Amino acid sequence: MESNTIYRITKGDETAFETFMDYYSTPLYHYAFGIIKNKETVEELISDVFMEVWKQRKTLLEIEHISGWLHTITYRKAISALRQSSSIPYQVNIEEVEYFNMSPIESPDEEMIKKEEIDSLYQAIEELPSKCKHVFFLAKIDKLPYKEISNILNISVATINYHIGFAMTSLKNRLRKK
């Protein structure tokens, strides 16, 4: 995201904010849906995320990694929504997020890859353990730095390395068998 757009948002430019929302809403939606798996709840949650951004717009230029910050807000709101829906009175952490569902994300590169290969890849990703899939999604799909993932999920970078290594080995082995 351009720093000019961020600057304009800090000055209250609603058009710039709409551009910002257009840019981030789809990846954040997929991320939140992977945790919550309820379309209506996720749509409301993403709306709340952007409301939070608008409220804090004057401090946006101080944030070094906007994407990581947005993922942190989304993760916390998703966990809060899970807590409210299940009436769990304590903090939910990554160990308690039972399933992380990664829905397919379309990109222009997919046109060059056979549909069968894409399906095989998504099937292999779906077969990863939930926590591993969650970390893989943040690192490889959303391309967040490991330090940001560590902050979002409150796990160590070593744990992230383990999950990514396990995911890559599993995916490589699974796709070789095809």
Side-chain angles (χ1 to χ4, degrees), residues 31-175:
Y31 177 60
F33 191 82
I35 298 169
I36 296 178
K37 292 171 249 10
N38 179 292
K39 184 180 181 219
E40 292 79 22
T41 304
V42 170
E43 287 171 353
E44 185 177 320
L45 183 142
I46 296 304
S47 176
D48 289 349
V49 168
F50 287 117
M51 182 65 79
E52 183 79 20
V53 172
W54 185 251
K55 286 179 187 174
Q56 296 186 36
R57 68 185 175 275
K58 293 183 186 214
T59 63
L60 289 179
L61 288 174
E62 299 168 16
I63 300 167
E64 190 173 340
H65 299 287
I66 292 286
S67 181
W69 179 70
L70 289 169
H71 278 79
T72 301
I73 294 170
T74 304
Y75 178 75
R76 289 180 180 157
K77 287 190 178 294
I79 295 303
S80 179
L82 285 176
R83 229 182 306 143
Q84 288 174 355
S85 69
S86 63
S87 302
I88 300 172
Y90 56 88
Q91 183 175 359
V92 178
N93 64 37
I94 189 172
E95 299 299 321
E96 295 163 342
V97 176
E98 200 169 313
Y99 299 104
F100 181 80
N101 182 28
M102 191 175 103
S103 50
I105 300 169
E106 296 178 23
S107 73
D109 298 343
E110 291 180 356
E111 293 174 21
M112 294 185 267
I113 303 171
K114 294 180 189 168
K115 182 167 177 20
E116 294 170 2
E117 291 173 339
I118 294 169
D119 291 343
S120 293
L121 176 60
Y122 281 118
Q123 183 178 7
I125 291 170
E126 277 303 314
E127 292 175 5
L128 291 172
S130 181
K131 293 173 197 90
C132 185
K133 190 177 2 172
H134 193 164
V135 171
F136 181 83
F137 180 86
L138 291 171
K140 299 301 180 186
I141 306 300
D142 280 351
K143 297 181 181 0
L144 291 179
Y146 286 13
K147 179 108 174 87
E148 292 294 320
I149 298 168
S150 173
N151 291 337
I152 293 168
L153 301 178
N154 197 25
I155 58 176
S156 70
V157 172
T159 301
I160 293 166
N161 281 324
Y162 169 78
H163 283 302
I164 296 299
F166 180 85
M168 297 304 284
T169 301
S170 295
L171 294 174
K172 202 180 314 177
N173 291 338
R174 172 101 165 111
L175 295 174

